[in-house]
Amino acid sequence: MTKSELIQSLVASQPQLDQRDVELAVKGLLECMSNALQAGERIEVRGFGSFCLHHRPARLGRNPKTGMSVQVPDRRVPHFKPGKELRERVDQ
């Protein structure tokens, strides 16, 4: 599901809401979540899951085209852990 499909789904399920308002709400929510992760905070949505950052240390990689060794710097990557309720719903 893309962001535009999510917006259309919400508008269809909530006819009293204007599409522009739903679009602003979804974009605002995603922006807040991005800002929180950027600041190193953890995001937890009960029943859905949690987002946090994992640290990947620097490592020695290989360029697949040339086979040469390349130093890959360390980085922080977002990680999603589904909640119990979401896991159960998906498993059914």
Side-chain angles (χ1 to χ4, degrees), residues 37-82:
L37 286 174
Q38 186 178 10
E41 298 175 18
R42 182 173 186 269
I43 302 168
E44 183 176 333
V45 181
R46 298 283 173 158
F48 182 71
S50 62
F51 296 88
C52 62
L53 293 176
H54 280 193
H55 180 262
R56 286 192 184 162
R59 62 183 174 87
L60 193 60
R62 294 222 177 262
N63 181 335
K65 190 172 185 179
T66 64
M68 302 269 306
S69 295
V70 178
Q71 184 64 33
V72 179
D74 64 332
R75 58 181 47 193
R76 297 181 314 169
V77 293
H79 175 75
F80 175 71
K81 182 178 178 186

Side-chain angles (χ1 to χ4, degrees):
M1 176 178 274
T2 64
K3 184 167 52 171
S4 60
E5 290 172 343
L6 174 63
I7 292 168
Q8 291 301 321
S9 175
L10 289 171
V11 168
S13 67
Q14 302 293 324
Q16 73 275 14
L17 297 176
D18 185 41
Q19 179 173 352
R20 183 89 173 136
D21 294 336
V22 172
E23 185 176 338
L24 288 172
V26 169
K27 286 182 179 181
L29 175 69
L30 294 175
E31 184 67 26
C32 287
M33 292 175 73
S34 297
N35 290 341
L37 286 174
Q38 186 178 10
E41 298 175 18
R42 182 173 186 269
I43 302 168
E44 183 176 333
V45 181
R46 298 283 173 158
F48 182 71
S50 62
F51 296 88
C52 62
L53 293 176
H54 280 193
H55 180 262
R56 286 192 184 162
R59 62 183 174 87
L60 193 60
R62 294 222 177 262
N63 181 335
K65 190 172 185 179
T66 64
M68 302 269 306
S69 295
V70 178
Q71 184 64 33
V72 179
D74 64 332
R75 58 181 47 193
R76 297 181 314 169
V77 293
H79 175 75
F80 175 71
K81 182 178 178 186
K84 180 181 177 184
E85 197 174 309
L86 178 62
R87 283 193 314 264
E88 290 172 353
R89 289 183 71 177
V90 170
D91 195 32
Q92 292 179 0

